[in-house]
Amino acid sequence: MVPQTIRTLFVPLVLMSFSVFSFSAEADQDKASFLAPYSATYSTVWKKGISLKVEGKQTLSKKSANLWEFKFTADNFIASLSETSTFLVKDHQIIPQQYHYESKVFGKKKSADLTFDWKNNQVLNDIKDKPWYLSVPPKTLDKLSIQLQVRQDLKQGKNEFDYSIADGGYIKNWRFQREKRETITTALGKVSTIKMTRIDNLESGKRTYFWFAPKFDYLLVKLEHKTDSESYRLDVDKVSYP
């Protein structure tokens, strides 16, 4: 349960849900550019009878002219998790190239690799050394890069947040709704944020909320996930730019 909790909190995945409102001047930044490279550290608390605290770090870096890498790592004394997405960007759209997942719990390891073949609109899934192909529609994302695509779409002033995700051998639809602006207190100080809600899974009793800060290039600064039996909370601790 620990790695699934960590993954739910930081992968945007997992990420998100967002009602329409006008943008203030704070959102009128340089829309022509993609997100800036950065490194951010988060702390999260998972509660289900007991509380478990985990620290995670995500890094966005530019590898070449149009090749980017987004990486997330988290660990504590019980488990560790590492996810990496490499992708291109064209017309503000993320085009995944490869996705790698690796976790270890009590010494037991799991890994998965996805390689996107956009010429044939398919993805090669390699889990437990058993590769197989899945057909994917254009603009399909992996479970990590979706966080960056949501941020980029917010930066572009879009009002629709509907995504296809390649995950677990299936194509899943994640939808989000933008809510009101909120000023929240974080380790970075008081920050004006855009609150988002994930709306494709409400029937299952889940509630997941995300707070993105335009001041920090729409960085995810807070996340809350609640069900009848458990809750997660994520908070940004620090962010740095190269």
Side-chain angles (χ1 to χ4, degrees), residues 50-146:
I50 62 171
S51 294
L52 179 65
K53 188 172 183 179
V54 180
E55 182 177 275
K57 181 178 181 180
Q58 61 177 211
T59 304
L60 175 65
S61 58
K62 195 171 185 179
K63 311 307 290 184
S64 63
N66 196 35
L67 183 67
W68 294 76
E69 180 183 87
F70 188 40
K71 186 171 184 177
F72 172 76
T73 58
D75 63 80
N76 65 6
F77 63 96
I78 296 175
S80 64
L81 168 69
S82 175
E83 291 183 286
T84 304
S85 175
T86 56
F87 58 90
L88 305 175
V89 180
K90 182 177 181 181
D91 298 328
H92 308 290
Q93 176 64 44
I94 289 174
I95 306 172
Q97 304 298 297
Q98 290 186 316
Y99 167 82
H100 175 72
Y101 168 87
E102 187 174 317
S103 67
K104 183 170 67 173
V105 185
F106 296 120
K108 185 176 181 180
K109 297 181 180 180
K110 291 180 62 177
S111 65
D113 289 280
L114 276 66
T115 303
F116 290 82
D117 176 4
W118 291 110
K119 182 178 180 180
N120 297 301
N121 283 334
Q122 59 186 13
V123 58
L124 175 63
N125 295 269
D126 191 348
I127 302 173
K128 296 181 179 180
D129 296 321
K130 297 179 181 179
W132 55 282
Y133 284 95
L134 172 70
S135 296
V136 295
K139 299 183 179 181
T140 296
L141 300 165
D142 59 66
K143 289 192 69 175
L144 191 59
S145 62
I146 181 178

Side-chain angles (χ1 to χ4, degrees), residues 156-175:
Q156 293 299 304
K158 294 184 178 181
N159 292 314
E160 294 185 6
F161 304 87
D162 194 329
Y163 306 95
S164 295
I165 311 297
D167 174 43
Y170 298 93
I171 300 300
K172 300 179 180 179
N173 176 241
W174 289 12
R175 292 182 294 114

Side-chain angles (χ1 to χ4, degrees), residues 47 76 99 188 232:
K47 294 183 179 180
N76 65 6
Y99 167 82
L188 306 178
Y232 314 142

Side-chain angles (χ1 to χ4, degrees), residues 3 26 46 93 118 122 145 147 203 205 215:
E26 184 180 28
W46 171 61
Q93 176 64 44
W118 291 110
Q122 59 186 13
S145 62
Q147 179 180 157
E203 291 183 0
K215 179 180 179 180

